[in-house]
């Protein structure tokens, strides 16, 4: 690998770092980072997409570089847009700035772009290179791509467990398995989600608030999958509905008076088709959330709900917090119930897992790569 290639990679990795600053602020748009480097190899402008509806990363980087953008190279994690949306096309801003070369992480799958920005830049005589650190670039915008192509959110499966794989004791006691550092990371996750989802069993047993403390850039909708609309009026979720929305997915089997009581308390109750187990069809749940343009949804449990999502291949990314403690017990629950897999060859695997130590707890996270 030449020095020039190494420099290009260094600049693109810096652009990834910038892009991540937009997590939680820009959805349903993608996070994007951009860097302008002049002919001497000096960084003269940096930018990232900072908020939904605001200027894109390229515009921020070009504004910072000013006249120094003429003849420079632009590194950007995602293909520049070429259409008028909430902001003017970035492709035209790049051309007007006199950029000489553009290095792009990945092509934008949005049908309104999808190669159009690249074509416009090349037609203006700009050298365009695509696919630098493509795998990392795809990982960065995977939730956005999933929403565009699959029309459903990116589901994050989260659980805390002991070293022997238990999420509670045999009596159901689970507070607290992990330490304060792990719980702080969970609240950071919640703060950048569009929604946080649990099953009715967890909602009743734990009475969670499902809010981020301290608050993050987003206020997540709290979702309960609840076949019979059993969510108690006195629950924390219902009592705090003025602070953050609550959505209950139920079925036609739910008593009308229970649904009405929840609606009167400010809860949105949505009746959807049931599956073969007479529970809300999770594929329908995913479709509904996709229609609402939810990009990231945190599935917090319990084991039955996480297992049901796993069985339907709906978990896209995993966040596992492992405490160095042991519980034991045949009847102590594990994170993924449901049917599970029959063959090891069918196992899902975390793609390039990130492993962190949190004051003694182990935090493993990353997107799932499913067996073909």
């Amino acid at each position: 690998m030449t020095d020039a290639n190494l420099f290009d990679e260094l600049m693109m990795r810096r652009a990834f770092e910038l892009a991540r600053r937009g997590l939680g602020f820009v959805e349903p748009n993608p996070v994007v980072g951009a860097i302008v480097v002049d002919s001497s190899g000096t960084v003269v402008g940096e930018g990232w997409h900072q908020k939904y509806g605001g200027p894109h990363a390229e515009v921020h980087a070009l504004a910072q570089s000013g006249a120094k953008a003429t003849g420079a190279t632009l590194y950007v994690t995602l293909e520049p847009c070429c259409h008028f949306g909430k902001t003017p096309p970035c492709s035209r801003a790049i051309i007007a700035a006199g950029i000489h070369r553009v290095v792009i992480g990945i092509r934008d799958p949005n049908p309104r772009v999808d190669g159009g920005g690249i074509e416009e830049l090349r037609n203006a005589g700009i050298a365009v290179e695509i696919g630098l650190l493509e795998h990392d670039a795809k990982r960065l915008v995977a939730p956005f791509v999933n929403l565009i192509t699959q029309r459903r959110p990116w589901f994050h499966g989260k659980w805390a467990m002991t070293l022997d794989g238990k999420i509670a004791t045999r009596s159901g006691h689970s507070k607290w398995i992990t330490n304060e550092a792990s719980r702080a990371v969970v609240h950071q996750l919640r703060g950048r989600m569009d929604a946080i989802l649990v099953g009715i069993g967890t909602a009743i047993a734990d009475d969670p608030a499902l809010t981020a403390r301290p608050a993050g850039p987003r206020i997540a909708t709290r979702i309960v999958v609840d076949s019979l609309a059993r969510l108690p009026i006195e629950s924390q979720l219902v009592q705090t509905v003025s602070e953050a929305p609550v959505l209950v997915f139920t079925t036609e089997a739910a008593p009308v008076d229970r649904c009405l009581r929840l609606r009167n308390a400010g809860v949105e109750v949505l009746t959807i088709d049931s599956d073969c187990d007479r529970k809300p069809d999770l594929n329908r749940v995913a479709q509904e959330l996709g229609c609402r343009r939810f990009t990231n949804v945190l599935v917090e449990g319990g084991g039955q709900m996480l297992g049901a999502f796993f069985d339907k291949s709906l978990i896209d990314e995993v966040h596992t917090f492992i405490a160095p403690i042991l519980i034991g017990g045949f009847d102590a629950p594990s994170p993924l119930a449901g049917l599970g897999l029959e063959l090891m060859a069918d196992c899902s695997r975390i793609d390039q897992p990130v492993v962190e130590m949190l004051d003694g707890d182990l935090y493993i996270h990353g997107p799932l790569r499913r067996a073909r």
Side-chain angles (χ1 to χ4, degrees), residues 148-362:
I148 291 293
T149 60
Q150 304 299 316
R151 298 183 180 180
R152 70 163 180 83
W154 184 261
F155 288 107
H156 301 251
K158 168 262 167 184
W159 61 84
M161 69 180 187
T162 63
L163 195 58
D164 56 336
K166 308 297 184 180
I167 60 172
T169 66
R170 56 185 171 83
S171 67
H173 189 253
S174 62
K175 291 187 177 180
W176 295 101
I177 287 177
T178 51
N179 61 30
E180 290 186 6
S182 292
R183 297 198 292 276
V185 172
V186 171
H187 282 287
Q188 291 172 13
L189 277 172
R190 287 178 175 179
R192 65 177 182 87
M193 295 288 148
D194 292 301
I196 302 165
L197 183 149
V198 297
I200 184 59
T202 295
I204 291 176
D206 296 347
D207 190 24
L210 302 181
T211 52
R213 300 182 297 275
R218 304 186 87 74
I219 298 177
T221 297
R222 285 89 55 82
I223 299 174
V224 182
V225 179
D226 182 6
S227 304
L228 299 175
R230 294 190 293 136
L231 182 65
I233 294 296
E234 63 274 12
S235 66
Q236 285 199 77
L237 289 169
V238 178
Q239 293 300 311
T240 59
V241 71
S242 61
E243 300 174 20
V246 177
L247 169 61
V248 169
F249 282 103
T250 191
T251 67
E252 292 182 354
V256 174
D257 61 326
R258 290 183 187 172
C259 295
L260 182 60
R261 189 160 56 245
L262 288 170
R263 290 190 177 107
N264 288 340
V267 175
E268 181 181 2
V269 180
L270 191 60
T271 301
I272 62 172
D273 294 339
S274 57
D275 58 19
C276 58
D277 294 323
R278 299 182 180 179
K279 297 178 180 178
D281 187 329
L282 295 183
N283 285 316
R284 296 283 187 179
V285 169
Q287 290 172 8
E288 173 63 27
L289 299 182
C291 288
R292 297 177 185 224
R293 300 190 76 193
F294 284 10
T295 307
N296 291 284
V297 174
L298 187 64
V299 183
E300 287 215 13
Q304 293 292 335
M305 185 54 56
L306 282 161
F309 267 84
F310 180 77
D311 286 344
K312 291 186 177 293
S313 298
L314 287 174
I315 294 181
D316 303 296
E317 186 168 337
V318 168
H319 301 266
T320 303
F321 299 84
I322 305 172
I325 59 176
L326 302 173
I327 286 179
F330 180 82
D331 293 326
S334 62
L336 298 179
L339 293 175
L341 300 173
E342 185 174 354
L343 301 173
M344 290 299 295
D346 296 331
C347 289
S348 297
R349 182 180 299 273
I350 297 180
D351 184 23
Q352 296 183 2
V354 178
V355 181
E356 303 178 44
M357 291 298 298
L358 302 174
D359 289 349
D361 286 352
L362 194 63

